[in-house]
Amino acid sequence: GAVVSQHPSRVICKSGTSVKIECRSLDFQATTMFWYRQFPKQSLMLMATSNEGSKATYEQGVEKDKFLINHASLTLSTLTVTSAHPEDSSFYICSAPPGTSGTDTQYFGPGTRLTVL
Amino acid sequence: GENVEQHPSTLSVQEGDSAVIKCTYSDSASNYFPWYKQELGKGPQLIIDIRSNVGEKKDQRIAVTLNKTAKHFSLHITETQPEDSAVYFCAASSKGYQKVTFGTGTKLQVIP
């Protein structure tokens, strides 16, 4: 149990285009999902908290208009990188805690490798 | 906010030896401490976790200890195997808050 999937696993796009990444909880519901970004040989940095049915909460320094988050259902959150540039190239990972009551254990997706040319 | 420090950044051990990774945290309100293993190109995988009401937890070759007074916790891997080679992250969070703060990671290499 507690499986989180991401799609696509890797994407290459041209500078200026937008890319959508999906995060799904396959066998549980999650009112909250988290989006992280990880640069090579670095730790995971939280970008935003995705809340089902309400606006996402962004960490300081993360542009909400550039990284659009939509949490339309209890099993799906999407991250759209708008007008992507080479500096947005990174490994994007989502996570979700099972349940709707604020449990603390989180399970991570396999990540999406974004390369912007 | 919470700050988690992790040491060492790299660790090489001979197969069969033990490996220890140490972390410290700053926020006394943190009460949940997971450990993740990340293989190259993959997402982090939860390998063990400990909550503040427990001082030690063990799962086969993996154990975690927690000292709340000193605000530090450690991961112990015994009888290491080549497949244990990966990057390990410690983390801390507060119950109900869910936001997890990660350490900087330890790259473990197990030499056959």
Side-chain angles (χ1 to χ4, degrees):
Chain A
V3 177
V4 177
S5 71
Q6 281 183 242
H7 179 79
S9 58
R10 56 178 61 229
V11 57
I12 301 172
C13 68
K14 293 182 179 180
S15 184
T17 60
S18 294
V19 175
K20 179 184 285 189
I21 302 170
E22 293 185 348
C23 176
R24 292 182 185 272
S25 55
L26 298 185
D27 51 1
F28 64 94
Q29 295 181 332
T31 54
T32 303
M33 292 183 176
F34 299 90
W35 287 96
Y36 295 82
R37 181 166 53 183
Q38 185 178 34
F39 291 107
K41 297 184 179 181
Q42 293 188 20
S43 188
L44 286 76
M45 297 301 297
L46 180 65
M47 298 176 65
T49 303
S50 172
N51 304 297
E52 189 267 337
S54 64
K55 292 183 179 180
T57 304
Y58 291 82
E59 295 300 301
Q60 190 173 8
V62 178
E63 301 176 57
K64 63 179 181 180
D65 294 331
K66 181 170 184 62
F67 299 99
L68 301 180
I69 291 173
N70 185 2
H71 195 149
S73 77
L74 288 172
T75 59
L76 174 64
S77 175
T78 60
L79 169 68
T80 301
V81 183
T82 63
S83 187
H85 291 284
E87 56 266 30
D88 298 323
S89 298
S90 188
F91 194 49
Y92 292 87
I93 311 171
C94 69
S95 74
T100 58
S101 58
T103 56
D104 46 22
T105 302
Q106 291 193 32
Y107 296 91
F108 284 79
T112 296
R113 174 74 60 192
L114 171 63
T115 303
V116 185
L117 302 177
Chain B
E2 176 65 276
N3 181 46
V4 179
E5 296 188 356
Q6 183 172 347
H7 299 281
S9 57
T10 60
L11 179 60
S12 291
V13 299
Q14 292 290 329
E15 181 178 359
D17 288 349
S18 295
V20 180
I21 302 170
K22 297 182 179 182
C23 290
T24 60
Y25 62 99
S26 62
D27 189 351
S28 57
S30 291
N31 55 13
Y32 175 63
F33 307 93
W35 286 87
Y36 291 91
K37 175 184 180 182
Q38 187 178 30
E39 297 177 339
L40 190 63
K42 297 183 179 180
Q45 177 188 5
L46 178 70
I47 56 172
I48 195 167
D49 57 13
I50 191 167
R51 289 177 170 80
S52 59
N53 58 345
V54 177
E56 183 175 357
K57 184 177 179 180
K58 188 175 182 180
D59 182 4
Q60 298 183 340
R61 296 186 298 108
I62 296 174
V64 58
T65 59
L66 170 65
N67 184 326
K68 281 213 70 179
T69 302
K71 295 195 185 71
H72 65 72
F73 56 114
S74 301
L75 177 71
H76 304 251
I77 305 174
T78 59
E79 301 173 25
T80 53
Q81 301 168 3
E83 51 266 37
D84 294 330
S85 296
V87 178
Y88 291 81
F89 291 98
C90 63
S93 74
S94 300
K95 181 179 180 179
Y97 186 49
Q98 297 183 334
K99 185 182 288 190
V100 175
T101 301
F102 282 84
T104 49
T106 297
K107 184 175 182 179
L108 173 64
Q109 180 184 19
V110 180
I111 303 168

PDB file of all heavy atoms in Angstrom, chain A residues 6-27:
ATOM      1  N   GLN A   6       4.016   9.229 -10.436  1.00  0.00           N
ATOM      2  CA  GLN A   6       4.193  10.497 -11.126  1.00  0.00           C
ATOM      3  C   GLN A   6       4.266  10.242 -12.619  1.00  0.00           C
ATOM      4  O   GLN A   6       4.782   9.225 -13.075  1.00  0.00           O
ATOM      5  CB  GLN A   6       5.485  11.203 -10.681  1.00  0.00           C
ATOM      6  CG  GLN A   6       5.375  11.912  -9.368  1.00  0.00           C
ATOM      7  CD  GLN A   6       6.651  12.667  -9.005  1.00  0.00           C
ATOM      8  OE1 GLN A   6       7.283  12.364  -8.001  1.00  0.00           O
ATOM      9  NE2 GLN A   6       7.030  13.653  -9.817  1.00  0.00           N
ATOM     10  N   HIS A   7       3.764  11.229 -13.358  1.00  0.00           N
ATOM     11  CA  HIS A   7       3.809  11.123 -14.811  1.00  0.00           C
ATOM     12  C   HIS A   7       4.007  12.501 -15.421  1.00  0.00           C
ATOM     13  O   HIS A   7       3.340  13.459 -14.995  1.00  0.00           O
ATOM     14  CB  HIS A   7       2.509  10.521 -15.346  1.00  0.00           C
ATOM     15  CG  HIS A   7       2.483  10.418 -16.830  1.00  0.00           C
ATOM     16  ND1 HIS A   7       3.135   9.417 -17.544  1.00  0.00           N
ATOM     17  CD2 HIS A   7       1.931  11.234 -17.768  1.00  0.00           C
ATOM     18  CE1 HIS A   7       2.962   9.603 -18.820  1.00  0.00           C
ATOM     19  NE2 HIS A   7       2.224  10.693 -18.995  1.00  0.00           N
ATOM     20  N   PRO A   8       4.917  12.670 -16.339  1.00  0.00           N
ATOM     21  CA  PRO A   8       5.807  11.635 -16.885  1.00  0.00           C
ATOM     22  C   PRO A   8       7.013  11.415 -15.978  1.00  0.00           C
ATOM     23  O   PRO A   8       7.228  12.166 -15.026  1.00  0.00           O
ATOM     24  CB  PRO A   8       6.235  12.253 -18.217  1.00  0.00           C
ATOM     25  CG  PRO A   8       6.245  13.725 -17.939  1.00  0.00           C
ATOM     26  CD  PRO A   8       5.106  13.975 -16.994  1.00  0.00           C
ATOM     27  N   SER A   9       7.799  10.404 -16.275  1.00  0.00           N
ATOM     28  CA  SER A   9       9.003  10.158 -15.493  1.00  0.00           C
ATOM     29  C   SER A   9      10.130  11.089 -15.938  1.00  0.00           C
ATOM     30  O   SER A   9      10.994  11.445 -15.129  1.00  0.00           O
ATOM     31  CB  SER A   9       9.445   8.698 -15.640  1.00  0.00           C
ATOM     32  OG  SER A   9       9.672   8.389 -17.004  1.00  0.00           O
ATOM     33  N   ARG A  10      10.116  11.452 -17.199  1.00  0.00           N
ATOM     34  CA  ARG A  10      11.080  12.434 -17.686  1.00  0.00           C
ATOM     35  C   ARG A  10      10.476  13.184 -18.860  1.00  0.00           C
ATOM     36  O   ARG A  10       9.668  12.632 -19.610  1.00  0.00           O
ATOM     37  CB  ARG A  10      12.407  11.791 -18.083  1.00  0.00           C
ATOM     38  CG  ARG A  10      12.325  10.692 -19.120  1.00  0.00           C
ATOM     39  CD  ARG A  10      13.721  10.176 -19.469  1.00  0.00           C
ATOM     40  NE  ARG A  10      14.388   9.602 -18.301  1.00  0.00           N
ATOM     41  CZ  ARG A  10      15.632   9.904 -17.945  1.00  0.00           C
ATOM     42  NH1 ARG A  10      16.341  10.764 -18.644  1.00  0.00           N
ATOM     43  NH2 ARG A  10      16.185   9.328 -16.903  1.00  0.00           N
ATOM     44  N   VAL A  11      10.857  14.422 -18.985  1.00  0.00           N
ATOM     45  CA  VAL A  11      10.336  15.259 -20.072  1.00  0.00           C
ATOM     46  C   VAL A  11      11.410  16.247 -20.497  1.00  0.00           C
ATOM     47  O   VAL A  11      12.125  16.802 -19.662  1.00  0.00           O
ATOM     48  CB  VAL A  11       9.035  15.977 -19.641  1.00  0.00           C
ATOM     49  CG1 VAL A  11       9.249  16.812 -18.390  1.00  0.00           C
ATOM     50  CG2 VAL A  11       8.484  16.821 -20.771  1.00  0.00           C
ATOM     51  N   ILE A  12      11.497  16.410 -21.791  1.00  0.00           N
ATOM     52  CA  ILE A  12      12.412  17.392 -22.373  1.00  0.00           C
ATOM     53  C   ILE A  12      11.568  18.388 -23.149  1.00  0.00           C
ATOM     54  O   ILE A  12      10.721  17.985 -23.948  1.00  0.00           O
ATOM     55  CB  ILE A  12      13.446  16.724 -23.303  1.00  0.00           C
ATOM     56  CG1 ILE A  12      14.269  15.690 -22.523  1.00  0.00           C
ATOM     57  CG2 ILE A  12      14.371  17.774 -23.923  1.00  0.00           C
ATOM     58  CD1 ILE A  12      15.178  14.851 -23.400  1.00  0.00           C
ATOM     59  N   CYS A  13      11.779  19.660 -22.894  1.00  0.00           N
ATOM     60  CA  CYS A  13      10.975  20.659 -23.590  1.00  0.00           C
ATOM     61  C   CYS A  13      11.842  21.841 -24.015  1.00  0.00           C
ATOM     62  O   CYS A  13      12.974  22.009 -23.521  1.00  0.00           O
ATOM     63  CB  CYS A  13       9.826  21.140 -22.708  1.00  0.00           C
ATOM     64  SG  CYS A  13      10.352  22.109 -21.284  1.00  0.00           S
ATOM     65  N   LYS A  14      11.294  22.645 -24.888  1.00  0.00           N
ATOM     66  CA  LYS A  14      12.005  23.838 -25.340  1.00  0.00           C
ATOM     67  C   LYS A  14      11.729  24.997 -24.396  1.00  0.00           C
ATOM     68  O   LYS A  14      10.667  25.074 -23.757  1.00  0.00           O
ATOM     69  CB  LYS A  14      11.561  24.210 -26.751  1.00  0.00           C
ATOM     70  CG  LYS A  14      11.968  23.189 -27.809  1.00  0.00           C
ATOM     71  CD  LYS A  14      11.537  23.660 -29.199  1.00  0.00           C
ATOM     72  CE  LYS A  14      11.967  22.667 -30.270  1.00  0.00           C
ATOM     73  NZ  LYS A  14      11.560  23.107 -31.630  1.00  0.00           N
ATOM     74  N   SER A  15      12.666  25.888 -24.302  1.00  0.00           N
ATOM     75  CA  SER A  15      12.523  27.059 -23.450  1.00  0.00           C
ATOM     76  C   SER A  15      11.288  27.855 -23.859  1.00  0.00           C
ATOM     77  O   SER A  15      11.027  28.052 -25.045  1.00  0.00           O
ATOM     78  CB  SER A  15      13.779  27.927 -23.578  1.00  0.00           C
ATOM     79  OG  SER A  15      13.720  29.025 -22.710  1.00  0.00           O
ATOM     80  N   GLY A  16      10.506  28.263 -22.884  1.00  0.00           N
ATOM     81  CA  GLY A  16       9.311  29.045 -23.150  1.00  0.00           C
ATOM     82  C   GLY A  16       8.023  28.249 -23.153  1.00  0.00           C
ATOM     83  O   GLY A  16       6.936  28.822 -23.112  1.00  0.00           O
ATOM     84  N   THR A  17       8.133  26.946 -23.198  1.00  0.00           N
ATOM     85  CA  THR A  17       6.938  26.107 -23.188  1.00  0.00           C
ATOM     86  C   THR A  17       6.549  25.760 -21.755  1.00  0.00           C
ATOM     87  O   THR A  17       7.315  25.992 -20.809  1.00  0.00           O
ATOM     88  CB  THR A  17       7.152  24.812 -23.984  1.00  0.00           C
ATOM     89  OG1 THR A  17       8.232  24.074 -23.387  1.00  0.00           O
ATOM     90  CG2 THR A  17       7.507  25.121 -25.433  1.00  0.00           C
ATOM     91  N   SER A  18       5.339  25.221 -21.603  1.00  0.00           N
ATOM     92  CA  SER A  18       4.842  24.820 -20.283  1.00  0.00           C
ATOM     93  C   SER A  18       4.797  23.305 -20.189  1.00  0.00           C
ATOM     94  O   SER A  18       4.536  22.617 -21.165  1.00  0.00           O
ATOM     95  CB  SER A  18       3.444  25.398 -20.046  1.00  0.00           C
ATOM     96  OG  SER A  18       3.505  26.809 -19.976  1.00  0.00           O
ATOM     97  N   VAL A  19       5.032  22.824 -19.012  1.00  0.00           N
ATOM     98  CA  VAL A  19       5.067  21.381 -18.771  1.00  0.00           C
ATOM     99  C   VAL A  19       4.208  21.045 -17.563  1.00  0.00           C
ATOM    100  O   VAL A  19       4.315  21.706 -16.520  1.00  0.00           O
ATOM    101  CB  VAL A  19       6.514  20.898 -18.505  1.00  0.00           C
ATOM    102  CG1 VAL A  19       6.529  19.430 -18.128  1.00  0.00           C
ATOM    103  CG2 VAL A  19       7.381  21.151 -19.733  1.00  0.00           C
ATOM    104  N   LYS A  20       3.374  20.021 -17.698  1.00  0.00           N
ATOM    105  CA  LYS A  20       2.520  19.593 -16.584  1.00  0.00           C
ATOM    106  C   LYS A  20       3.002  18.252 -16.060  1.00  0.00           C
ATOM    107  O   LYS A  20       3.228  17.310 -16.815  1.00  0.00           O
ATOM    108  CB  LYS A  20       1.062  19.467 -17.030  1.00  0.00           C
ATOM    109  CG  LYS A  20       0.124  19.000 -15.898  1.00  0.00           C
ATOM    110  CD  LYS A  20      -1.297  18.777 -16.382  1.00  0.00           C
ATOM    111  CE  LYS A  20      -2.019  20.069 -16.620  1.00  0.00           C
ATOM    112  NZ  LYS A  20      -3.472  19.848 -16.889  1.00  0.00           N
ATOM    113  N   ILE A  21       3.119  18.169 -14.740  1.00  0.00           N
ATOM    114  CA  ILE A  21       3.530  16.933 -14.077  1.00  0.00           C
ATOM    115  C   ILE A  21       2.393  16.491 -13.158  1.00  0.00           C
ATOM    116  O   ILE A  21       1.853  17.300 -12.395  1.00  0.00           O
ATOM    117  CB  ILE A  21       4.810  17.148 -13.243  1.00  0.00           C
ATOM    118  CG1 ILE A  21       5.953  17.668 -14.130  1.00  0.00           C
ATOM    119  CG2 ILE A  21       5.227  15.853 -12.555  1.00  0.00           C
ATOM    120  CD1 ILE A  21       7.164  18.142 -13.351  1.00  0.00           C
ATOM    121  N   GLU A  22       2.034  15.212 -13.252  1.00  0.00           N
ATOM    122  CA  GLU A  22       0.949  14.682 -12.432  1.00  0.00           C
ATOM    123  C   GLU A  22       1.492  13.845 -11.278  1.00  0.00           C
ATOM    124  O   GLU A  22       2.466  13.110 -11.437  1.00  0.00           O
ATOM    125  CB  GLU A  22       0.020  13.797 -13.275  1.00  0.00           C
ATOM    126  CG  GLU A  22      -0.755  14.539 -14.328  1.00  0.00           C
ATOM    127  CD  GLU A  22      -1.743  13.640 -15.055  1.00  0.00           C
ATOM    128  OE1 GLU A  22      -1.646  12.401 -14.878  1.00  0.00           O
ATOM    129  OE2 GLU A  22      -2.598  14.164 -15.780  1.00  0.00           O
ATOM    130  N   CYS A  23       0.817  13.959 -10.156  1.00  0.00           N
ATOM    131  CA  CYS A  23       1.143  13.158  -8.980  1.00  0.00           C
ATOM    132  C   CYS A  23      -0.151  12.490  -8.513  1.00  0.00           C
ATOM    133  O   CYS A  23      -1.138  13.179  -8.232  1.00  0.00           O
ATOM    134  CB  CYS A  23       1.711  14.051  -7.877  1.00  0.00           C
ATOM    135  SG  CYS A  23       2.048  13.195  -6.313  1.00  0.00           S
ATOM    136  N   ARG A  24      -0.124  11.167  -8.429  1.00  0.00           N
ATOM    137  CA  ARG A  24      -1.310  10.428  -8.029  1.00  0.00           C
ATOM    138  C   ARG A  24      -1.030   9.512  -6.853  1.00  0.00           C
ATOM    139  O   ARG A  24       0.003   8.837  -6.803  1.00  0.00           O
ATOM    140  CB  ARG A  24      -1.819   9.556  -9.189  1.00  0.00           C
ATOM    141  CG  ARG A  24      -2.378  10.316 -10.368  1.00  0.00           C
ATOM    142  CD  ARG A  24      -2.900   9.377 -11.453  1.00  0.00           C
ATOM    143  NE  ARG A  24      -3.319  10.116 -12.629  1.00  0.00           N
ATOM    144  CZ  ARG A  24      -4.526  10.623 -12.805  1.00  0.00           C
ATOM    145  NH1 ARG A  24      -5.445  10.441 -11.867  1.00  0.00           N
ATOM    146  NH2 ARG A  24      -4.832  11.273 -13.902  1.00  0.00           N
ATOM    147  N   SER A  25      -1.949   9.495  -5.919  1.00  0.00           N
ATOM    148  CA  SER A  25      -1.900   8.494  -4.855  1.00  0.00           C
ATOM    149  C   SER A  25      -2.772   7.336  -5.334  1.00  0.00           C
ATOM    150  O   SER A  25      -3.950   7.503  -5.610  1.00  0.00           O
ATOM    151  CB  SER A  25      -2.427   9.081  -3.535  1.00  0.00           C
ATOM    152  OG  SER A  25      -3.723   9.622  -3.693  1.00  0.00           O
ATOM    153  N   LEU A  26      -2.178   6.166  -5.466  1.00  0.00           N
ATOM    154  CA  LEU A  26      -2.857   5.051  -6.139  1.00  0.00           C
ATOM    155  C   LEU A  26      -3.773   4.254  -5.228  1.00  0.00           C
ATOM    156  O   LEU A  26      -4.785   3.715  -5.691  1.00  0.00           O
ATOM    157  CB  LEU A  26      -1.818   4.123  -6.772  1.00  0.00           C
ATOM    158  CG  LEU A  26      -0.936   4.749  -7.853  1.00  0.00           C
ATOM    159  CD1 LEU A  26      -0.039   3.698  -8.469  1.00  0.00           C
ATOM    160  CD2 LEU A  26      -1.768   5.442  -8.920  1.00  0.00           C
ATOM    161  N   ASP A  27      -3.453   4.155  -3.965  1.00  0.00           N
ATOM    162  CA  ASP A  27      -4.245   3.286  -3.097  1.00  0.00           C
ATOM    163  C   ASP A  27      -4.661   3.970  -1.806  1.00  0.00           C
ATOM    164  O   ASP A  27      -5.024   3.314  -0.826  1.00  0.00           O
ATOM    165  CB  ASP A  27      -3.484   1.999  -2.792  1.00  0.00           C
ATOM    166  CG  ASP A  27      -2.077   2.275  -2.290  1.00  0.00           C
ATOM    167  OD1 ASP A  27      -1.706   3.457  -2.165  1.00  0.00           O
ATOM    168  OD2 ASP A  27      -1.353   1.300  -2.033  1.00  0.00           O
TER     169      ASP A  27
END
